[in-house]
Amino acid sequence: MNNISLIYFLSGLNETKNHQFALFSLTLLYYCLILLVNIFLVVTIIMDKNLHEPMYVLLCTFCLNGLYGTTGFYPKFLWDLLSPVHVISYSGCLIQALIMYSFALGDLSILAVMAYDRYLAICRPLEYYAIMSKQKLFKLVCFSWITPFCIMAVNIFLTSRLELCSSYIRRPICSNWSVVKLACFPAETLINNIIAYITIIIYVFHGFYIVWSYIDLIKTCVNSKENRAKFMQTCVPHIISLFTFLLTVLFDVMHMRFGSKDLSLALQNFIAIEFLIIPPIMNPLIYGFKLTKIRNRILCFVNIKIK
C-alpha cells in the first residue's frame, strides 16, 4: 500500500455526533486553560530574577515541554471534532507520533533531572551551587529535551520503512505502535519491537533513579526538621507529578500493547489521550500553589491587578 496517505478515524466520537459542538467548546476552553497556566508560569519565571535558580529553570522547562506536547495534539483534535472525516497524511501521522511520545519521554527525563536537583539541594547543600552550575544546568536541560527526541526519531524512522496494509488507526491520535501494527509483514517489525523495548528499559531506569533519589532524600530528611520542611515544600509537587505521569502513561502503554477491545470506545479514547489531558494542566497548578516563591509572585500579580 502507498504510505503517502493514511486515514484514521476517531473511534468513539461518531457515537456523540449530537454533542460534538459542546465537546469542541469544552476542549477548546480546556486547551486555552493549559496554554494560560503554562505560559503564565514560564513568563513569571523568566521575568523574575529571584526565580533564576536551577529548580525553577527546570520547572520552566517542564512547562515548555507540556506546551510542546499539547500543541502537537489539541489543534488537530479540535479540527477533527468539527470535521465529518478524520484524515491525516502519512507524514503528518509520523510527525504527530514523534511529538506525542518525545513529549512523554521528555517529561520523564525532566522529572529525573529534577530529582537529581532536589537530591543535591537537600543531601549535599554545601556543594549544591558548585555542582549545579549554569553550564551543568544547561547540559541537563539539553539532555532532557534532545535525548527523548532522538530516541523517538529512531523509532519513527524504523516505522517509516514498513509497508502498510491498512489505512485505519483505532485511536484518536497517531502513535508509533499503532502504525507498526498496520505492517503487511509482522516479521519486518522485529527490529521495531527490539528498539521499542530498549526505549522502555531506558526510561524504566529513569524511574528507578528517581525512586533511589527519593529514598536517599527521605533518609536524609528523617532526622532534620529543616530538611523535612524543604522536602515537603519542594519535593511533594515533584512526587505528585511523577505518579500522575507514570499512571497516565502506564495505562496508555498497557492498553496499546495488551488492551481489551471490549472496553467502550469512549473509554479507549480517554486512555489513549489522558497523558495529554491530566499532566499538562495539573503540573503547573501543583507547582504554582505549592512552591512559596511562585505562589507569592502570583498573589503579588493578582493584587496589582485588583488595585
Side-chain angles (χ1 to χ4, degrees), residues 136-165:
K136 180 75 169 286
L137 181 61
F138 177 75
K139 289 177 182 177
L140 289 172
V141 169
C142 290
F143 159 79
S144 63
W145 267 343
I146 295 172
T147 305
F149 186 87
C150 291
I151 289 174
M152 272 314 302
V154 171
N155 281 270
I156 296 298
F157 170 75
L158 292 173
T159 300
S160 67
R161 68 187 175 82
L162 299 175
E163 183 180 351
L164 308 181
C165 281

Side-chain angles (χ1 to χ4, degrees), residues 190-245:
L190 177 62
I191 185 65
N192 296 75
N193 279 291
I194 292 171
I195 297 299
Y197 283 116
I198 289 173
T199 302
I200 291 170
I201 290 169
I202 289 171
Y203 285 92
V204 165
F205 276 111
H206 277 56
F208 282 140
Y209 172 76
I210 294 170
V211 171
W212 172 80
S213 297
Y214 275 98
I215 290 172
D216 260 17
L217 279 169
I218 292 167
K219 287 178 180 178
T220 303
C221 294
V222 167
N223 299 318
S224 169
K225 187 175 180 180
E226 182 184 348
N227 282 342
R228 282 201 301 271
K230 192 183 291 186
F231 180 88
M232 293 300 295
Q233 180 68 36
T234 62
C235 298
V236 169
H238 184 209
I239 292 172
I240 295 171
S241 295
L242 175 65
F243 276 104
T244 302
F245 170 80

Side-chain angles (χ1 to χ4, degrees), residues 30 38 62 103 107 241 244-246 248-249 273-285:
Y30 190 76
N38 281 280
F62 205 30
F103 149 72
D107 256 10
S241 295
T244 302
F245 170 80
L246 289 179
T248 55
V249 171
I273 63 175
E274 62 180 334
F275 74 101
L276 294 159
I277 296 175
I278 301 173
I281 192 73
M282 193 172 176
N283 292 334
L285 290 177

Side-chain angles (χ1 to χ4, degrees), residues 120-133:
L120 290 177
I122 295 174
C123 298
R124 300 169 66 181
L126 298 179
E127 304 170 69
Y128 178 68
Y129 286 104
I131 297 174
M132 192 60 80
S133 62

Side-chain angles (χ1 to χ4, degrees), residues 5-118:
S5 83
L6 179 66
I7 300 173
Y8 74 93
F9 67 92
L10 300 175
S11 53
L13 287 180
N14 292 329
E15 298 177 350
T16 57
K17 282 185 177 179
N18 296 331
H19 308 289
Q20 280 191 348
F21 184 75
L23 186 58
F24 171 84
S25 301
L26 289 172
T27 304
L28 179 60
L29 181 64
Y30 190 76
Y31 179 47
C32 289
L33 185 61
I34 288 173
L35 293 176
L36 177 66
V37 295
N38 281 280
I39 291 173
F40 182 79
L41 211 59
V42 168
V43 171
T44 298
I45 292 169
I46 291 173
M47 298 297 291
D48 191 341
K49 291 184 178 180
N50 294 322
L51 299 177
H52 292 182
E53 298 177 10
M55 180 175 68
Y56 299 104
V57 172
L58 292 171
L59 175 56
C60 183
T61 305
F62 205 30
C63 292
L64 287 171
N65 193 57
L67 290 170
Y68 161 70
T70 52
T71 302
F73 166 69
Y74 280 96
K76 178 68 173 71
F77 185 67
L78 287 165
W79 175 266
D80 285 330
L81 286 174
L82 296 182
S83 175
V85 182
H86 314 118
V87 180
I88 188 168
S89 68
Y90 178 69
S91 58
C93 186
L94 293 182
I95 290 170
Q96 187 182 60
L98 174 62
I99 293 172
M100 294 301 92
Y101 291 93
S102 61
F103 149 72
L105 298 182
D107 256 10
L108 191 54
S109 291
I110 295 166
L111 286 167
V113 174
M114 291 172 87
Y116 174 66
D117 173 73
R118 291 301 83 205

